[in-house]
Amino acid sequence: MAETSSPSVLRAETNSWFDRVPPAYWVLGVVLLVIPAFVSDFVMGEIMARAFIMGIIALSLMLLGGYGGMVSLAQMAFAGFAGYMIAVFGTSAITDISQGWPWWIVIPLALILTIILSTAVGWLAVRTEGIYTIMITLAIAAAFFYFTRQNYDIFNGFQGFNSVLPPQLFGVDWRGSYAFYYLTLFWAILGYAVVLYISRAPFGLALQGVRDNPRRMSALGYNVTAHRVAAYAFAGLIAGIGGILLTWQLSQISPGTVGIGAAIDVLVIAVVGGLRHPIGPFIGAFIFVVLETFAKDFLVTLGLSGDRFQLVIGLGFLIIVFFSPDGLLGLWDKFRAARNRDPLTGQDRGEREL
Amino acid sequence: MSDVSVMTRGDPQTGSGYALELRDISKKFGALEALAGINMLVRPGERRAVLGSNGAGKTTLFNCITGDFMPTTGAIRFFGEDITVFPAQERIRRGLRRTYQISLLFTGLTVLDNVYLACRGVSRGRFSFVRPRRGDALMQTAEELVATVNLSDAINTPVSELSYGQQRQLEIAMALSGAPRFILFDEPAAGLSPTERVELIKILTGLPSHVGYIIIEHDMDVALRVSEQVTMMHNGRIFKEGKPAEIEDDAEVQALYLGGNADE
Ligand SMILES: Nc1ncnc2c1ncn2[C@@H]1O[C@H](COP(=O)(O)OP(=O)(O)O)[C@@H](O)[C@H]1O
Ligand SMILES: [Mg+2]
């Protein structure tokens, strides 16, 4: 083993993971940990926790779209399906349907069923490319939405389920504002870290290879279809975790949660944040939630109708995508590159990393 | 498809002693007959150059051998085994490799990742969720291959930022991954600088002696220096085979090929 200064050593895992975390992440981590001490319950729950949850769901799209080159509009449907499953098998106010099983059966069961569903959808969707993938997953999302609205035996139709709450575990009320904040923060960080980790593991590298050049991947001995389907399965797990948290946050799950609008919100969040890096969906989600919360008041202040806040979000989306197809992450990269460039020669000064 | 009849017609005995055996390969694209009855026998470890003008069918021949697409008729044996209808992955697992005339690289990934993926493709653990550890055997092999093609300085550079010549080198590193037995090089020297060409010749002549290859090459100088057998193609047919010296002196070849392409 050559422990010299060959370039590869930089890439190899020379230090413990601890040393390789960039300082900015430590700062952000500390801020996220102590922020509950300084903000209201509203900010903690309706903005921060909601941003983490939407970030997790959009993260599942980032994995598929950014690494796999497959844009799926069905991620919100997977999330909603997991939410429905914990309502159906766990407890809710709809005692006729809810089975009331213990959480340690309900949560794994809900996630496994979600993985099965997303694998099946993936198996269908990977037969298509580009715009057709978007169409087929949109059709699946729409079908799921109408199905939940019309099916009363399992999904309780239009009303859905209310009083779907997290279990009382370790004597903590997980729906309490502090506990729920840290619960969602934990899953957001875990999801982020796992996706980032996998991006450099054989599975993630192969997925990026499939994105860049599927024909070459199969010529190299890979089963391209299997890799794509596996990506859907894994993305389904992530979306499912986000969906369970979302259901707990709202204390309910109903067709409105899994509508076409929500499916598109997830796409907007992922694209606005940036599909190239797993931090993108969380940046996008934070901005989306802030806009969603305050755009109404802002419009009313301007003397306009508050109903138009979707328009503000849509315009923001257009502007960002227009200036940077890579989302806000791309803008950040451009800014960094510009700062790195020597103003006289226009040459890079080196040191470019994300 | 006629391919099935080929399978049953081909004699079942294996171990013919040839690395590559092409029997009556033809390929039609609609009305265009890109290959018309190609027969070729290549011994293990043999190094052969295929020459011919643009559109002669050289790349099409490679595509048929590697399974990028099926020949219209004919049979292909690789080390005695009938691979005519095998998918590309099955052929690569048997030690067949190729480079592409137009680079087909993973532009969003680094040089090392490209080579690592090539190495990983012919080994197990393609679905692993665990990052390669320091000293991972496959990662080291990939690093060595990168060094073989003189790309160590660019090992962590994204492929999209490589020069054209570097991309060609990377193609070669990927073809060398995972114990190849036979490699098809599709115009590896095209677009290389003179120094890069010298490096390429060094890499080719430095390959282990059991590794045979076919190289498509426009540059006679390069072709004759790295091969012991030359096949001339024209309009989808082979019209001459022989030792480099014979081919160089052949009047017909000079008229048809060197006459038109003498750009040196
Ligand atoms: N995929 C394809 N579809 C249709 N025609 C093709 C295809 N590939 C090659 N051809 C045609 O087959 C002929 C041989 O092409 P090719 O094998 O690429 O030639 P060479 O590599 O010798 O320059 C050309 O006339 C080319 O246009
Ligand atoms: Mg060609």
Side-chain angles (χ1 to χ4, degrees), chain A residues 3 37 61 75 84 132 139 169 184 188 223 236 242 273 282 301 346:
Chain A
E3 304 248 338
L61 174 55
Q75 298 314 110
Y84 268 111
Y132 299 101
L169 211 59
T184 52
N223 185 336
F282 292 100
T301 320

PDB file of all heavy atoms in Angstrom, chain A residues 3 37 61 75 84 132 139 169 184 188 223 236 242 273 282 301 346:
ATOM      1  N   GLU A   3       1.571   4.657   0.828  1.00  0.00           N
ATOM      2  CA  GLU A   3       1.039   5.743   1.659  1.00  0.00           C
ATOM      3  C   GLU A   3       1.792   7.027   1.360  1.00  0.00           C
ATOM      4  O   GLU A   3       2.125   7.795   2.248  1.00  0.00           O
ATOM      5  CB  GLU A   3       1.179   5.396   3.148  1.00  0.00           C
ATOM      6  CG  GLU A   3       0.521   4.085   3.495  1.00  0.00           C
ATOM      7  CD  GLU A   3      -0.699   4.283   4.374  1.00  0.00           C
ATOM      8  OE1 GLU A   3      -0.779   5.331   5.026  1.00  0.00           O
ATOM      9  OE2 GLU A   3      -1.558   3.397   4.403  1.00  0.00           O
ATOM     10  N   ALA A  37     -33.963  26.504  20.919  1.00  0.00           N
ATOM     11  CA  ALA A  37     -33.925  27.345  22.107  1.00  0.00           C
ATOM     12  C   ALA A  37     -34.299  28.787  21.788  1.00  0.00           C
ATOM     13  O   ALA A  37     -34.631  29.562  22.674  1.00  0.00           O
ATOM     14  CB  ALA A  37     -32.533  27.290  22.737  1.00  0.00           C
ATOM     15  N   LEU A  61     -36.206  11.834  -4.648  1.00  0.00           N
ATOM     16  CA  LEU A  61     -36.227  12.212  -6.066  1.00  0.00           C
ATOM     17  C   LEU A  61     -34.832  12.598  -6.542  1.00  0.00           C
ATOM     18  O   LEU A  61     -34.431  12.301  -7.664  1.00  0.00           O
ATOM     19  CB  LEU A  61     -37.205  13.367  -6.282  1.00  0.00           C
ATOM     20  CG  LEU A  61     -37.242  13.973  -7.692  1.00  0.00           C
ATOM     21  CD1 LEU A  61     -37.501  12.902  -8.727  1.00  0.00           C
ATOM     22  CD2 LEU A  61     -38.296  15.054  -7.780  1.00  0.00           C
ATOM     23  N   GLN A  75     -42.896  10.124  -6.205  1.00  0.00           N
ATOM     24  CA  GLN A  75     -42.293  10.054  -4.866  1.00  0.00           C
ATOM     25  C   GLN A  75     -43.277  10.454  -3.768  1.00  0.00           C
ATOM     26  O   GLN A  75     -43.288   9.879  -2.690  1.00  0.00           O
ATOM     27  CB  GLN A  75     -41.028  10.911  -4.799  1.00  0.00           C
ATOM     28  CG  GLN A  75     -39.934  10.463  -5.761  1.00  0.00           C
ATOM     29  CD  GLN A  75     -39.709   8.971  -5.750  1.00  0.00           C
ATOM     30  OE1 GLN A  75     -40.032   8.261  -6.699  1.00  0.00           O
ATOM     31  NE2 GLN A  75     -39.175   8.463  -4.655  1.00  0.00           N
ATOM     32  N   TYR A  84     -50.404   6.267   4.726  1.00  0.00           N
ATOM     33  CA  TYR A  84     -51.663   5.516   4.784  1.00  0.00           C
ATOM     34  C   TYR A  84     -51.479   4.181   5.503  1.00  0.00           C
ATOM     35  O   TYR A  84     -52.336   3.749   6.266  1.00  0.00           O
ATOM     36  CB  TYR A  84     -52.198   5.267   3.367  1.00  0.00           C
ATOM     37  CG  TYR A  84     -53.153   6.332   2.881  1.00  0.00           C
ATOM     38  CD1 TYR A  84     -52.791   7.198   1.859  1.00  0.00           C
ATOM     39  CD2 TYR A  84     -54.414   6.459   3.441  1.00  0.00           C
ATOM     40  CE1 TYR A  84     -53.663   8.174   1.401  1.00  0.00           C
ATOM     41  CE2 TYR A  84     -55.297   7.428   3.000  1.00  0.00           C
ATOM     42  CZ  TYR A  84     -54.914   8.288   1.984  1.00  0.00           C
ATOM     43  OH  TYR A  84     -55.790   9.245   1.555  1.00  0.00           O
ATOM     44  N   TYR A 132     -41.074  10.469 -20.954  1.00  0.00           N
ATOM     45  CA  TYR A 132     -42.033   9.381 -20.778  1.00  0.00           C
ATOM     46  C   TYR A 132     -41.993   8.837 -19.358  1.00  0.00           C
ATOM     47  O   TYR A 132     -43.010   8.406 -18.826  1.00  0.00           O
ATOM     48  CB  TYR A 132     -41.779   8.287 -21.815  1.00  0.00           C
ATOM     49  CG  TYR A 132     -41.939   8.819 -23.212  1.00  0.00           C
ATOM     50  CD1 TYR A 132     -40.837   9.146 -23.983  1.00  0.00           C
ATOM     51  CD2 TYR A 132     -43.209   9.060 -23.727  1.00  0.00           C
ATOM     52  CE1 TYR A 132     -40.988   9.682 -25.242  1.00  0.00           C
ATOM     53  CE2 TYR A 132     -43.369   9.603 -24.985  1.00  0.00           C
ATOM     54  CZ  TYR A 132     -42.250   9.913 -25.751  1.00  0.00           C
ATOM     55  OH  TYR A 132     -42.414  10.462 -26.984  1.00  0.00           O
ATOM     56  N   ALA A 139     -48.794   9.674 -14.114  1.00  0.00           N
ATOM     57  CA  ALA A 139     -50.028   8.898 -14.246  1.00  0.00           C
ATOM     58  C   ALA A 139     -50.230   8.022 -13.012  1.00  0.00           C
ATOM     59  O   ALA A 139     -51.348   7.906 -12.493  1.00  0.00           O
ATOM     60  CB  ALA A 139     -49.959   8.031 -15.506  1.00  0.00           C
ATOM     61  N   LEU A 169     -42.679   6.743  22.958  1.00  0.00           N
ATOM     62  CA  LEU A 169     -41.529   5.860  23.097  1.00  0.00           C
ATOM     63  C   LEU A 169     -40.558   6.464  24.096  1.00  0.00           C
ATOM     64  O   LEU A 169     -40.352   7.676  24.088  1.00  0.00           O
ATOM     65  CB  LEU A 169     -40.871   5.718  21.726  1.00  0.00           C
ATOM     66  CG  LEU A 169     -40.189   4.403  21.446  1.00  0.00           C
ATOM     67  CD1 LEU A 169     -41.171   3.262  21.561  1.00  0.00           C
ATOM     68  CD2 LEU A 169     -39.604   4.460  20.043  1.00  0.00           C
ATOM     69  N   THR A 184     -37.312  14.725  13.306  1.00  0.00           N
ATOM     70  CA  THR A 184     -37.211  14.970  11.864  1.00  0.00           C
ATOM     71  C   THR A 184     -35.778  15.362  11.487  1.00  0.00           C
ATOM     72  O   THR A 184     -35.272  14.961  10.438  1.00  0.00           O
ATOM     73  CB  THR A 184     -38.177  16.084  11.422  1.00  0.00           C
ATOM     74  OG1 THR A 184     -37.976  17.226  12.248  1.00  0.00           O
ATOM     75  CG2 THR A 184     -39.618  15.627  11.540  1.00  0.00           C
ATOM     76  N   ALA A 188     -33.532  13.492   8.704  1.00  0.00           N
ATOM     77  CA  ALA A 188     -33.022  14.282   7.581  1.00  0.00           C
ATOM     78  C   ALA A 188     -31.509  14.097   7.460  1.00  0.00           C
ATOM     79  O   ALA A 188     -30.979  13.860   6.374  1.00  0.00           O
ATOM     80  CB  ALA A 188     -33.373  15.755   7.770  1.00  0.00           C
ATOM     81  N   ASN A 223     -26.140  -4.920 -15.252  1.00  0.00           N
ATOM     82  CA  ASN A 223     -27.537  -5.066 -15.602  1.00  0.00           C
ATOM     83  C   ASN A 223     -28.219  -3.724 -15.331  1.00  0.00           C
ATOM     84  O   ASN A 223     -28.566  -3.400 -14.198  1.00  0.00           O
ATOM     85  CB  ASN A 223     -28.174  -6.180 -14.769  1.00  0.00           C
ATOM     86  CG  ASN A 223     -29.597  -6.441 -15.176  1.00  0.00           C
ATOM     87  OD1 ASN A 223     -30.258  -5.573 -15.739  1.00  0.00           O
ATOM     88  ND2 ASN A 223     -30.071  -7.634 -14.895  1.00  0.00           N
ATOM     89  N   GLY A 236     -37.839   4.560  -2.696  1.00  0.00           N
ATOM     90  CA  GLY A 236     -39.131   4.322  -2.062  1.00  0.00           C
ATOM     91  C   GLY A 236     -39.009   4.262  -0.551  1.00  0.00           C
ATOM     92  O   GLY A 236     -39.861   4.787   0.178  1.00  0.00           O
ATOM     93  N   GLY A 242     -40.037   9.690   4.897  1.00  0.00           N
ATOM     94  CA  GLY A 242     -40.548  11.058   4.857  1.00  0.00           C
ATOM     95  C   GLY A 242     -42.065  11.092   4.996  1.00  0.00           C
ATOM     96  O   GLY A 242     -42.618  11.945   5.694  1.00  0.00           O
ATOM     97  N   GLY A 273     -33.575  23.303  -5.421  1.00  0.00           N
ATOM     98  CA  GLY A 273     -32.407  23.104  -4.569  1.00  0.00           C
ATOM     99  C   GLY A 273     -31.213  22.640  -5.376  1.00  0.00           C
ATOM    100  O   GLY A 273     -30.097  23.109  -5.179  1.00  0.00           O
ATOM    101  N   PHE A 282     -32.763  19.699   0.528  1.00  0.00           N
ATOM    102  CA  PHE A 282     -33.036  20.336   1.818  1.00  0.00           C
ATOM    103  C   PHE A 282     -33.024  21.856   1.682  1.00  0.00           C
ATOM    104  O   PHE A 282     -33.843  22.546   2.300  1.00  0.00           O
ATOM    105  CB  PHE A 282     -32.039  19.850   2.876  1.00  0.00           C
ATOM    106  CG  PHE A 282     -32.252  18.392   3.205  1.00  0.00           C
ATOM    107  CD1 PHE A 282     -31.444  17.413   2.658  1.00  0.00           C
ATOM    108  CD2 PHE A 282     -33.302  17.997   4.021  1.00  0.00           C
ATOM    109  CE1 PHE A 282     -31.669  16.073   2.925  1.00  0.00           C
ATOM    110  CE2 PHE A 282     -33.536  16.664   4.303  1.00  0.00           C
ATOM    111  CZ  PHE A 282     -32.713  15.700   3.750  1.00  0.00           C
ATOM    112  N   THR A 301     -49.907  41.974   2.001  1.00  0.00           N
ATOM    113  CA  THR A 301     -49.289  43.257   2.313  1.00  0.00           C
ATOM    114  C   THR A 301     -49.225  44.134   1.073  1.00  0.00           C
ATOM    115  O   THR A 301     -49.392  45.346   1.129  1.00  0.00           O
ATOM    116  CB  THR A 301     -47.851  43.056   2.847  1.00  0.00           C
ATOM    117  OG1 THR A 301     -47.864  41.933   3.711  1.00  0.00           O
ATOM    118  CG2 THR A 301     -47.359  44.279   3.580  1.00  0.00           C
ATOM    119  N   GLY A 346      -8.257  35.276 -15.802  1.00  0.00           N
ATOM    120  CA  GLY A 346      -9.430  34.456 -16.042  1.00  0.00           C
ATOM    121  C   GLY A 346      -9.170  32.991 -15.775  1.00  0.00           C
ATOM    122  O   GLY A 346     -10.008  32.146 -16.052  1.00  0.00           O
TER     123      GLY A 346
END
